[in-house]
Amino acid sequence: MHLVDLWLTRSLSMCLLLQSFVLMILCFHSASMCPKGCLCSHSGGLNVSCSNANLKEIPRDLPPETVLLYLDSNQITSIPNEIFRDLHQLKVLNLSKNIIEFIDEHSFKGVAETLQMLDLSDNRIKSVHKNAFNNLKARARIANNPWHCDCTLQQVLRSMASNHDTANSVICKTSDIDEHAGRPFLNAADADLCNLPKKTTDYAMLVTMFGWFTMVISYVVYYVRQNQEDARRHLEYLKSLPSRQKKPEEADDISTVV
């Protein structure tokens, strides 16, 4: 019995030692994979914090098991296509307070289905590719950007799951319709920005047709007046001609008959 207890005690100690060793390896592995200038921790998954790290671009050595990724308050200027394609567990992505100007078509390829929150607020984004947020299920924060409100932005916001709340936070710094500059996007969207080119073409066609119609009417009026003037002058000319004088022989014949 004593031997059994001794064996169990040693087995438990070995098990605890082995467990500690495995945890140390995992922690060391995670720390070794953590991008330079970032802090990595485990809390409901791998959290990678690269906030205020003076980054000029998104690290390309992000751990594949990353769940929360904070890249806010840096100097990141762009989101390369498919930069997050290996982060299949990513749920939170914070890219706020950078200097991003444009979102490309495949910037979020690979994470659009898993993301739950995407923060792009306080950047310099003016426009995005029309397919940039395709299949995005996350609640997006895109306020405080110098948006140009046009047909593309209208299509993008309509394709997003939470487009109403997202669109409500968008202020048009510029717009295809001048009077919408400085107003919330929802007000600008009432004009259906995707129909503006067609309407402009229709107006141009109407103006052109009206111009041609005016020219034709003017020509007809001029032609009629010119003919009237020519007819009047011809009539006055005929009236100005001396009347035909009777010959003396004709006058004598008439007197004889009488």
Side-chain angles (χ1 to χ4, degrees), residues 146-174:
W147 291 104
H148 176 72
C149 294
D150 58 5
C151 177
T152 299
L153 182 60
Q154 179 174 299
Q155 291 175 331
V156 167
L157 294 178
R158 285 179 176 176
S159 69
M160 296 172 68
S162 57
N163 67 307
H164 187 276
D165 292 338
T166 303
N168 196 37
S169 66
V170 173
I171 304 297
C172 304
K173 183 170 184 180
T174 57

Side-chain angles (χ1 to χ4, degrees), residues 9-238:
T9 302
R10 290 183 177 179
S11 297
L12 182 60
S13 299
M14 289 296 294
C15 183
L16 290 174
L17 183 62
L18 181 61
Q19 185 178 8
S20 300
F21 181 70
V22 170
L23 288 174
M24 288 177 63
I25 291 177
L26 289 175
C27 291
F28 178 77
H29 179 67
S30 297
S32 64
M33 291 184 63
C34 200
K36 184 179 179 180
C38 303
L39 296 175
C40 296
S41 62
H42 284 272
S43 177
L46 180 60
N47 300 342
V48 180
S49 178
C50 305
S51 304
N52 291 296
N54 294 319
L55 298 177
K56 291 181 170 48
E57 60 182 20
I58 298 173
R60 295 184 177 273
D61 55 347
L62 293 166
E65 65 271 23
T66 302
V67 176
L68 279 70
L69 178 57
Y70 296 93
L71 294 164
D72 55 295
S73 303
N74 284 290
Q75 301 174 39
I76 298 171
T77 59
S78 63
I79 306 175
N81 280 330
E82 302 186 20
I83 187 69
F84 305 115
R85 67 181 181 276
D86 296 325
L87 308 184
H88 302 301
Q89 301 178 45
L90 191 64
K91 294 182 179 179
V92 175
L93 176 58
N94 190 339
L95 283 160
S96 64
K97 298 179 182 178
N98 280 283
I99 52 177
I100 300 168
E101 296 184 359
F102 181 75
I103 308 296
D104 217 330
E105 180 177 7
H106 301 298
S107 293
F108 302 108
K109 186 174 182 180
V111 297
E113 297 286 347
T114 61
L115 270 181
Q116 297 176 2
M117 195 280 286
L118 171 64
D119 195 342
L120 292 167
S121 60
D122 297 288
N123 276 280
R124 300 179 183 176
I125 305 171
K126 297 179 181 179
S127 61
V128 298
H129 190 280
K130 65 179 181 179
N131 298 325
F133 296 139
N134 275 6
N135 303 318
L136 187 69
K137 301 295 189 295
R139 181 171 296 276
R141 298 174 182 171
I142 57 176
N144 299 326
N145 283 289
W147 291 104
H148 176 72
C149 294
D150 58 5
C151 177
T152 299
L153 182 60
Q154 179 174 299
Q155 291 175 331
V156 167
L157 294 178
R158 285 179 176 176
S159 69
M160 296 172 68
S162 57
N163 67 307
H164 187 276
D165 292 338
T166 303
N168 196 37
S169 66
V170 173
I171 304 297
C172 304
K173 183 170 184 180
T174 57
S175 175
D176 284 352
I177 303 178
D178 293 337
E179 56 266 30
H180 286 154
R183 297 171 57 188
F185 173 80
L186 283 180
N187 292 342
D190 293 340
D192 194 357
L193 299 174
C194 292
N195 280 335
L196 292 181
K198 182 177 182 299
K199 290 181 178 180
T200 302
T201 303
D202 291 343
Y203 292 149
M205 186 177 296
L206 286 174
V207 170
T208 303
M209 291 178 63
F210 180 78
W212 279 105
F213 182 74
T214 302
M215 290 178 61
V216 170
I217 295 298
S218 300
Y219 177 78
V220 170
V221 171
Y222 171 79
Y223 181 79
V224 171
R225 288 184 176 179
Q226 188 66 29
N227 284 351
Q228 288 179 343
E229 184 68 19
D230 291 343
R232 185 183 63 79
R233 289 176 181 175
H234 184 67
L235 183 60
E236 289 179 353
Y237 171 76
L238 292 177

